[in-house]
Amino acid sequence: MVASKDMKLFLSVDLEGVTGVNAWEDVRKGTADHDYFRRQMTKEVLVICETALSKGATEVLVKDAHATARNLLMDELPRGVKLFSGWARDPYVMMSGLDKSFSAVMFSGYHSGAFFADSPLAHTMSSENVFYFKINDQYASEFVLNSYIAAYHGVPVIGIVGDEGICRQAREYIPNIVTMPVKKGEGNGVISLGRDEALDLIRRGAEKALSMDFSQCKLELPKHFRCELCFRNHVLAHRASFYPGVKLLNPHTVLWETDDFYEVLRTYFFI
Ligand SMILES: [Zn+2]
């Protein structure tokens, strides 16, 4: 489907993958670094929103999906854009607000997942507690989890802005997705595009993504899910093992299996 008068875009936004972000202080609210990078985060979102609106989007719903979920600066967002700030406390987490009525999903500020070396801030959902999360034996980043949520609602995922590692993984799952890599992890450091080059890249990428036939970017949900969650602390695995359907695989790791993707989310949410 090419952008039409009914086009609705859902944009889930994180902060660790924003241009220039390279340390935890950069993403912790209340620091001078966070004050700076939330502006860059907002600028990157604004470019995507402006492009979507110029392509005829009737609605853009932006989900602020980092930490407090209160990072984006509403002042900067144009008419036609709704901002979902704060956490709904439902199992959709970073994708709350998405439903079947949306035409496409995009991600910005996304970052490499736990057990990848492509960002000093690589993690999946909880940097503190989760050592890794696997679905069907593949390390599942927030991109993977959230793209499956989009697939669960039948909505294609057309574009992603973030570090090179997460862009590479995105292409493995959705070969036609438009990737906008704004930086590259190098050990504990990050090599970023300049601010203006990053915004140009995002504008060009969003333009391309929103002009595509979105159905090329549909991800198929697996028929069966084997989920392994490895905690940094064995006590958390012990605790999680008492949730219905969850068993202890080893002292740090729990396992659950289901054919229903919603049960992947529900279990992850409660353990
Ligand atoms: Zn985050």
Side-chain angles (χ1 to χ4, degrees):
M1 188 184 83
V2 175
S4 73
K5 64 179 164 50
D6 298 308
M7 202 253 281
K8 283 175 70 177
L9 177 68
F10 184 92
L11 176 59
S12 174
V13 187
D14 206 348
L15 182 49
E16 289 89 341
V18 163
T19 310
V21 167
N22 66 87
W24 290 110
E25 293 93 287
D26 298 344
V27 300
R28 198 173 305 129
K29 201 166 181 167
T31 66
D33 293 326
H34 177 271
D35 268 352
Y36 173 79
F37 284 113
R38 72 191 298 197
R39 283 176 199 288
Q40 181 63 22
M41 180 196 200
T42 305
K43 281 182 187 148
E44 296 182 6
V45 165
L46 178 60
V47 166
I48 296 170
C49 291
E50 283 174 347
T51 309
L53 294 168
S54 78
K55 290 274 168 195
T58 47
E59 186 184 323
V60 182
L61 178 58
V62 177
K63 176 74 195 88
D64 190 324
H66 171 73
T68 59
R70 297 190 298 114
N71 307 278
L72 290 163
L73 299 163
M74 196 160 191
D75 267 14
E76 310 290 330
L77 300 178
R79 279 174 188 272
V81 175
K82 289 180 181 160
L83 176 62
F84 190 152
S85 43
W87 296 112
R89 300 286 180 215
D90 62 41
Y92 294 123
V93 192
M94 300 173 79
M95 299 296 278
S96 292
L98 179 68
D99 61 33
K100 289 184 186 336
S101 73
F102 283 86
S103 322
V105 163
M106 284 181 74
F107 299 126
S108 78
Y110 267 49
H111 54 83
S112 293
F115 225 75
F116 288 89
D118 300 281
S119 164
L121 305 181
H123 69 281
T124 299
M125 303 309 276
S126 164
S127 56
E128 218 174 299
N129 296 335
V130 174
F131 190 50
Y132 66 73
F133 179 48
K134 279 182 174 180
I135 298 178
N136 296 341
D137 234 23
Q138 307 290 317
Y139 292 107
S141 61
E142 292 163 18
F143 161 81
V144 171
L145 201 55
N146 294 340
S147 293
Y148 281 154
I149 293 176
Y152 184 71
H153 290 297
V155 184
V157 181
I158 62 170
I160 180 168
V161 182
D163 63 54
E164 276 189 8
I166 200 63
C167 288
R168 189 179 61 240
Q169 189 183 46
R171 290 190 298 271
E172 286 164 12
Y173 280 76
I174 306 171
N176 292 317
I177 192 171
V178 176
T179 57
M180 292 154 267
V182 292
K183 61 184 182 183
K184 179 182 192 298
E186 197 64 55
N188 198 38
V190 162
I191 303 171
S192 275
L193 292 180
R195 184 196 61 183
D196 294 336
E197 283 87 349
L199 294 175
D200 289 348
L201 177 77
I202 296 167
R203 196 176 296 278
R204 284 197 305 274
E207 184 86 36
K208 184 176 171 198
L210 289 153
S211 307
M212 275 191 309
D213 174 356
F214 298 162
S215 67
Q216 294 175 54
C217 292
K218 272 208 167 176
L219 177 64
E220 186 130 353
L221 270 185
K223 298 272 177 282
H224 183 75
F225 299 89
R226 183 184 187 277
C227 303
E228 251 182 63
L229 180 55
C230 180
F231 292 97
R232 292 185 191 278
N233 183 335
H234 67 91
V235 178
L236 294 176
H238 170 78
R239 178 183 175 277
S241 71
F242 295 98
Y243 190 80
V246 174
K247 59 183 181 200
L248 206 57
L249 197 60
N250 63 47
H252 281 263
T253 313
V254 293
L255 170 73
W256 71 102
E257 296 197 56
T258 175
D259 292 340
D260 179 356
F261 180 64
Y262 196 81
E263 295 307 322
V264 173
L265 299 178
R266 193 203 308 269
T267 302
Y268 197 106
F269 183 68
F270 282 106
I271 67 172

